[in-house]
Amino acid sequence: MTPRRLLLAVVAVLGAVAAAVAQQPLASQSDLAGLYSLRASLGVRAREWPAKADPCTAWAGVTCRAGRVVSVSVAGFRRTRLASRTPAFSVDGLRGLTALELFNASRFPLPGVVPAWFGPALPPSLAVLDLRFSAVNGTLPSDLGASGNLTSLLLSGNSLSGQVPVSLLSVRSLRVLDLSTNNFTGELPNVSVAVAAGDGAAWLFNISGNSLYGVASYPIGTLKRKFRLVDVSSNYLDGIWNGSDATVDVSTNCFSGVPGQRHRVDCEEFYKRQGVRLVDIPAPTPSPQPQPSSDKKRRISKNVLIGIIAAAAALMVMFLAALLFCYMRRRGRRRQRGGRGVETNEEGTRGVRRRDSSVNPVASSPVAMSPRADTTPKDPLPDFGDLSFEKLVHATGGFGDDNLLKHGHSGDIYRGVLESGANVIVKKIGAQSINKNSSELDFYTRYSHERIVPFLGHWANDNEVVLVYKYMPKADLTNALHKKPVDTEDGFLSLDWITRLKIAIGVAEAMCFLHDECSPPFVHRDIQASSVLLDDKFEVRLGSMSNICAQQSAGSQNVFSRILRSSKSLDKNASGPPATSSYDVYCFGKVILELVTGNFGVSGSNNAGSEEWLANTTNRISINDKDSITNIIDPLLVVDEDHLEEVWAVAIVAKTCLNSKPSRRPSARHVLKALENPLRVVRAGSRSNSARLRSSSSRSSWQSAFLQGNRYQSYEIMSPSGRMLDRRGSVRSHISGGEASSSFKRSLREIAPDPGVLDEDVAV
């Protein structure tokens, strides 16, 4: 036998022996006890870890070697229904797995604080610990990693707080440390002692997306000696740094002289909240001031100071007297002109026309409020001073790319900071879009409401229009729901249910104002997550008003023509979104569904994929089965039993808003009442039988609006593109076949609602 064949034979024998060793059944009783302890505390389902099967051969994610457990992975697993009610960070079974080398629980819910034993009592052989996006909170144990062989520690995407333990960086074997997207605060650890213990072969240190602050030039330099790549971006670190170093990412901090940093106002506000001083360059030591040489000089200085104060007081008195004289003279002139009403009105009209060419604050413009409009917002606007186009150019950096937030479909949107330090949002509209946004400007100059984004003023000429709004600290709902801010104080990975329901109620209140309180009624036509702006207390301020228009009236049409129109494809309009309140309700249903499911971007998409997802998701929502939403609820949303019933009720509200027929959708005021009393929706449905349901079909009861809507929407949902999606999610034409192929009498019976349920909001 040749040496080559002999070598191949030896390799084959060794491979067979290794496979046989790996497939051996579990031989350690301590490992078996540890696995069953984990199975009970984590609530792993029997389909993944069957109770009567050997863990080494039949348990998913469990790897053994020579009869010992060396790897456990529950990444992506789901807890049992009972365990999901009280999830916690309970992994005591790891102590018994003394040969364990890897534990992976990424995206497996482990809400709770890391226990103190988690540092020294972990298996000494453990090399990889992966707890990414597992809802872990609290502080890290100071002796984490003391077991000795930890090479990779992955804790990103959690709610860990406090300071980073310095001892963690002294672990000699550590190669990858990922602490990004948490709530760590304090200064960057000074790892000069820890670096001495390392060998310079570590790969990555990532602590981006936290709230670290302080002068960090020296700590970053020492971290470079231990790790090849250092990422400290999206913090509030201060000092001086060479931005050309490609091995260190310091973007979105407060460094001086480095591009891509936070705005100076944001840095100063954050440092003020922390009670520390923001430092660009170490302040020079002030030189001592020469002291007066004699009491005579002191007396001269005091006399000069007294003279200055007296002169200033005299000037102040003269100024107040002149001001009072001007006021009394102006008041006398007004009395003399009291009888010339026409002349005064003409002068006022000319004044308004003159102000059209400059930025006009809303406070100084005439506001024609509807009878029910709220003229006193909860957060009164600060004094923004006399806004001018030059000040807006200066505030936005000359409308530069550094302050550009996004290219909107109606104009470019910038963030600006006025000389007073106030933040504003500026929309710049070009000549090609001026006519399209005339309705938006007309609306803002006539109406204001606590649920509409505050409008500060505008500037216009023949070529462009500039609109100025108040800055919203929490940005829009998309950012708040899917991107956790680094300076969050609530400690949650995502918005809790109470906040999500509060946001939904706020949007419904804004819709009620537009649909019912304005005269004429308005429709938004662009309600989606990016249109829902949030202030620092997560109060809703509805924005993106570029598509707003007066609601189309259906009063001149008879019932027969409205029935025919309601049977056509849903909300189709060749000139843009339908100008009907039912279309706003439909779009709001998608926003509610995004709050419930956490599905990113569903409210702003109308493609075939999103339509099919809407059909599959709404068909899983049943008014008779609360557990029907367990498969669609946002996995990051941790709710108890009472809140689960609220989530179920809100999902039913969303399904009713997404009804395929506009006449079956509830009005905005019914949606608001349902969101304010969500449990009454499902409890009323559970108490109602079919006879009572038929007898309560009147729209006078807001509960019946949702009971009726769900009764007629049990098998299908239609998308805005005019395609009908059946219960299985397949796409079929709404024109050919089905209702279109039946008789006219049958079409009226199945498509048209009961006369008592018919709404004025029909498809265009």
Side-chain angles (χ1 to χ4, degrees), residues 19-49:
V21 170
Q23 294 176 359
Q24 290 180 0
L26 186 62
S28 172
Q29 292 298 321
S30 64
D31 285 5
L32 183 63
L35 285 177
Y36 272 94
S37 175
L38 281 177
R39 185 179 185 273
S41 62
L42 298 181
V44 181
R45 297 180 299 181
R47 69 176 64 178
E48 281 89 11
W49 288 7

Short mmCIF file of all heavy atoms in Angstrom, two decimals, residues 19-49:
data_model
loop_
_atom_site.label_atom_id
_atom_site.label_comp_id
_atom_site.label_asym_id
_atom_site.label_seq_id
_atom_site.Cartn_x
_atom_site.Cartn_y
_atom_site.Cartn_z
N ALA A 19 -16.99 10.41 14.68
CA ALA A 19 -18.45 10.40 14.54
C ALA A 19 -19.09 9.48 15.56
O ALA A 19 -20.14 9.78 16.13
CB ALA A 19 -18.82 9.98 13.12
N ALA A 20 -18.44 8.34 15.78
CA ALA A 20 -19.00 7.40 16.76
C ALA A 20 -18.96 7.98 18.16
O ALA A 20 -19.90 7.83 18.96
CB ALA A 20 -18.23 6.08 16.71
N VAL A 21 -17.85 8.72 18.46
CA VAL A 21 -17.75 9.33 19.78
C VAL A 21 -18.80 10.42 19.96
O VAL A 21 -19.44 10.56 21.00
CB VAL A 21 -16.33 9.90 19.99
CG1 VAL A 21 -16.28 10.75 21.25
CG2 VAL A 21 -15.32 8.77 20.07
N ALA A 22 -19.01 11.23 18.86
CA ALA A 22 -19.98 12.32 18.95
C ALA A 22 -21.40 11.82 19.09
O ALA A 22 -22.25 12.48 19.67
CB ALA A 22 -19.86 13.20 17.71
N GLN A 23 -21.70 10.63 18.55
CA GLN A 23 -23.06 10.11 18.60
C GLN A 23 -23.33 9.26 19.83
O GLN A 23 -24.38 8.65 19.94
CB GLN A 23 -23.33 9.28 17.34
CG GLN A 23 -23.34 10.11 16.06
CD GLN A 23 -23.51 9.27 14.83
OE1 GLN A 23 -23.61 8.04 14.92
NE2 GLN A 23 -23.55 9.91 13.66
N GLN A 24 -22.34 9.19 20.76
CA GLN A 24 -22.57 8.41 21.97
C GLN A 24 -23.66 9.04 22.81
O GLN A 24 -23.79 10.26 22.86
CB GLN A 24 -21.27 8.34 22.78
CG GLN A 24 -20.19 7.47 22.15
CD GLN A 24 -18.94 7.44 22.98
OE1 GLN A 24 -18.88 8.07 24.04
NE2 GLN A 24 -17.94 6.69 22.52
N PRO A 25 -24.47 8.25 23.49
CA PRO A 25 -25.51 8.82 24.36
C PRO A 25 -24.90 9.55 25.55
O PRO A 25 -23.72 9.37 25.87
CB PRO A 25 -26.32 7.59 24.78
CG PRO A 25 -25.38 6.45 24.64
CD PRO A 25 -24.49 6.77 23.48
N LEU A 26 -25.72 10.36 26.19
CA LEU A 26 -25.25 11.14 27.33
C LEU A 26 -24.88 10.20 28.48
O LEU A 26 -25.68 9.36 28.90
CB LEU A 26 -26.34 12.11 27.78
CG LEU A 26 -25.96 13.11 28.88
CD1 LEU A 26 -24.83 14.01 28.42
CD2 LEU A 26 -27.17 13.94 29.26
N ALA A 27 -23.64 10.39 28.97
CA ALA A 27 -23.14 9.48 30.00
C ALA A 27 -23.00 10.16 31.35
O ALA A 27 -22.76 9.47 32.34
CB ALA A 27 -21.78 8.90 29.57
N SER A 28 -23.14 11.50 31.42
CA SER A 28 -22.92 12.21 32.68
C SER A 28 -24.26 12.51 33.34
O SER A 28 -25.13 13.14 32.74
CB SER A 28 -22.15 13.51 32.41
OG SER A 28 -22.09 14.30 33.59
N GLN A 29 -24.43 12.09 34.59
CA GLN A 29 -25.66 12.36 35.32
C GLN A 29 -25.77 13.84 35.68
O GLN A 29 -26.86 14.40 35.70
CB GLN A 29 -25.71 11.52 36.60
CG GLN A 29 -25.87 10.03 36.35
CD GLN A 29 -27.18 9.72 35.62
OE1 GLN A 29 -28.22 10.32 35.90
NE2 GLN A 29 -27.12 8.77 34.69
N SER A 30 -24.62 14.49 35.96
CA SER A 30 -24.69 15.92 36.27
C SER A 30 -25.11 16.72 35.04
O SER A 30 -25.87 17.69 35.15
CB SER A 30 -23.33 16.40 36.78
OG SER A 30 -22.34 16.27 35.76
N ASP A 31 -24.62 16.31 33.84
CA ASP A 31 -25.06 16.99 32.62
C ASP A 31 -26.54 16.78 32.39
O ASP A 31 -27.26 17.70 31.98
CB ASP A 31 -24.27 16.47 31.42
CG ASP A 31 -22.85 17.01 31.40
OD1 ASP A 31 -22.47 17.69 32.37
OD2 ASP A 31 -22.13 16.75 30.42
N LEU A 32 -27.03 15.55 32.62
CA LEU A 32 -28.45 15.27 32.44
C LEU A 32 -29.31 16.11 33.38
O LEU A 32 -30.33 16.68 32.98
CB LEU A 32 -28.72 13.78 32.65
CG LEU A 32 -30.16 13.31 32.41
CD1 LEU A 32 -30.55 13.53 30.96
CD2 LEU A 32 -30.30 11.84 32.79
N ALA A 33 -28.89 16.22 34.65
CA ALA A 33 -29.64 17.03 35.61
C ALA A 33 -29.61 18.51 35.22
O ALA A 33 -30.61 19.22 35.33
CB ALA A 33 -29.07 16.84 37.01
N GLY A 34 -28.44 18.99 34.73
CA GLY A 34 -28.36 20.38 34.32
C GLY A 34 -29.26 20.69 33.14
O GLY A 34 -29.89 21.75 33.08
N LEU A 35 -29.32 19.76 32.15
CA LEU A 35 -30.17 19.98 30.99
C LEU A 35 -31.64 20.02 31.38
O LEU A 35 -32.41 20.86 30.89
CB LEU A 35 -29.91 18.90 29.94
CG LEU A 35 -28.62 19.03 29.14
CD1 LEU A 35 -28.48 17.84 28.20
CD2 LEU A 35 -28.60 20.31 28.33
N TYR A 36 -32.07 19.09 32.24
CA TYR A 36 -33.48 19.08 32.64
C TYR A 36 -33.82 20.30 33.49
O TYR A 36 -34.95 20.80 33.47
CB TYR A 36 -33.80 17.79 33.38
CG TYR A 36 -34.21 16.68 32.44
CD1 TYR A 36 -33.29 15.76 31.97
CD2 TYR A 36 -35.52 16.57 31.99
CE1 TYR A 36 -33.65 14.74 31.09
CE2 TYR A 36 -35.90 15.57 31.11
CZ TYR A 36 -34.96 14.65 30.66
OH TYR A 36 -35.33 13.66 29.79
N SER A 37 -32.83 20.80 34.26
CA SER A 37 -33.06 22.04 35.01
C SER A 37 -33.25 23.22 34.05
O SER A 37 -34.14 24.05 34.24
CB SER A 37 -31.89 22.31 35.94
OG SER A 37 -32.04 23.56 36.59
N LEU A 38 -32.43 23.29 32.99
CA LEU A 38 -32.61 24.33 31.99
C LEU A 38 -33.94 24.19 31.27
O LEU A 38 -34.62 25.17 30.97
CB LEU A 38 -31.47 24.28 30.97
CG LEU A 38 -30.14 24.89 31.37
CD1 LEU A 38 -29.12 24.68 30.26
CD2 LEU A 38 -30.29 26.37 31.65
N ARG A 39 -34.31 22.94 30.95
CA ARG A 39 -35.58 22.70 30.25
C ARG A 39 -36.76 23.25 31.06
O ARG A 39 -37.71 23.83 30.51
CB ARG A 39 -35.75 21.21 29.99
CG ARG A 39 -36.98 20.83 29.17
CD ARG A 39 -36.99 19.32 28.96
NE ARG A 39 -38.07 18.91 28.07
CZ ARG A 39 -39.32 18.64 28.48
NH1 ARG A 39 -39.63 18.76 29.77
NH2 ARG A 39 -40.25 18.28 27.61
N ALA A 40 -36.71 23.09 32.38
CA ALA A 40 -37.82 23.54 33.22
C ALA A 40 -37.79 25.06 33.41
O ALA A 40 -38.82 25.72 33.32
CB ALA A 40 -37.75 22.83 34.58
N SER A 41 -36.59 25.64 33.68
CA SER A 41 -36.53 27.07 33.98
C SER A 41 -36.74 27.93 32.73
O SER A 41 -37.30 29.02 32.82
CB SER A 41 -35.18 27.41 34.62
OG SER A 41 -34.11 27.11 33.73
N LEU A 42 -36.29 27.44 31.58
CA LEU A 42 -36.46 28.21 30.34
C LEU A 42 -37.80 27.94 29.67
O LEU A 42 -38.21 28.71 28.81
CB LEU A 42 -35.33 27.88 29.35
CG LEU A 42 -33.92 28.23 29.79
CD1 LEU A 42 -32.92 27.87 28.70
CD2 LEU A 42 -33.80 29.71 30.12
N GLY A 43 -38.48 26.86 30.04
CA GLY A 43 -39.76 26.56 29.42
C GLY A 43 -39.61 26.14 27.96
O GLY A 43 -40.43 26.52 27.13
N VAL A 44 -38.58 25.36 27.66
CA VAL A 44 -38.38 24.89 26.29
C VAL A 44 -39.47 23.88 25.95
O VAL A 44 -39.78 22.98 26.74
CB VAL A 44 -36.98 24.27 26.12
CG1 VAL A 44 -36.77 23.80 24.69
CG2 VAL A 44 -35.92 25.28 26.51
N ARG A 45 -40.04 24.00 24.78
CA ARG A 45 -41.16 23.14 24.39
C ARG A 45 -40.69 21.72 24.09
O ARG A 45 -39.53 21.49 23.74
CB ARG A 45 -41.87 23.73 23.17
CG ARG A 45 -42.49 25.09 23.43
CD ARG A 45 -43.18 25.63 22.20
NE ARG A 45 -42.25 25.81 21.09
CZ ARG A 45 -42.61 26.28 19.90
NH1 ARG A 45 -43.88 26.60 19.68
NH2 ARG A 45 -41.72 26.43 18.94
N ALA A 46 -41.62 20.79 24.21
CA ALA A 46 -41.30 19.38 24.04
C ALA A 46 -40.91 19.05 22.61
O ALA A 46 -40.19 18.08 22.37
CB ALA A 46 -42.49 18.51 24.48
N ARG A 47 -41.35 19.84 21.65
CA ARG A 47 -40.99 19.55 20.27
C ARG A 47 -39.50 19.75 20.04
O ARG A 47 -38.92 19.13 19.16
CB ARG A 47 -41.80 20.41 19.32
CG ARG A 47 -41.45 21.87 19.36
CD ARG A 47 -42.21 22.67 18.32
NE ARG A 47 -43.64 22.63 18.57
CZ ARG A 47 -44.54 23.27 17.84
NH1 ARG A 47 -44.13 23.98 16.79
NH2 ARG A 47 -45.83 23.22 18.13
N GLU A 48 -38.86 20.67 20.81
CA GLU A 48 -37.41 20.85 20.69
C GLU A 48 -36.64 19.91 21.61
O GLU A 48 -35.65 19.31 21.20
CB GLU A 48 -37.02 22.30 21.01
CG GLU A 48 -37.26 23.29 19.88
CD GLU A 48 -38.64 23.89 19.93
OE1 GLU A 48 -39.33 23.70 20.97
OE2 GLU A 48 -39.06 24.54 18.95
N TRP A 49 -37.11 19.79 22.87
CA TRP A 49 -36.41 18.94 23.83
C TRP A 49 -37.41 17.91 24.38
O TRP A 49 -38.02 18.12 25.44
CB TRP A 49 -35.85 19.78 24.98
CG TRP A 49 -34.65 20.62 24.57
CD1 TRP A 49 -34.16 20.79 23.34
CD2 TRP A 49 -33.82 21.40 25.46
NE1 TRP A 49 -33.07 21.61 23.35
CE2 TRP A 49 -32.82 22.01 24.64
CE3 TRP A 49 -33.79 21.63 26.82
CZ2 TRP A 49 -31.84 22.84 25.16
CZ3 TRP A 49 -32.81 22.46 27.34
CH2 TRP A 49 -31.84 23.06 26.52
#
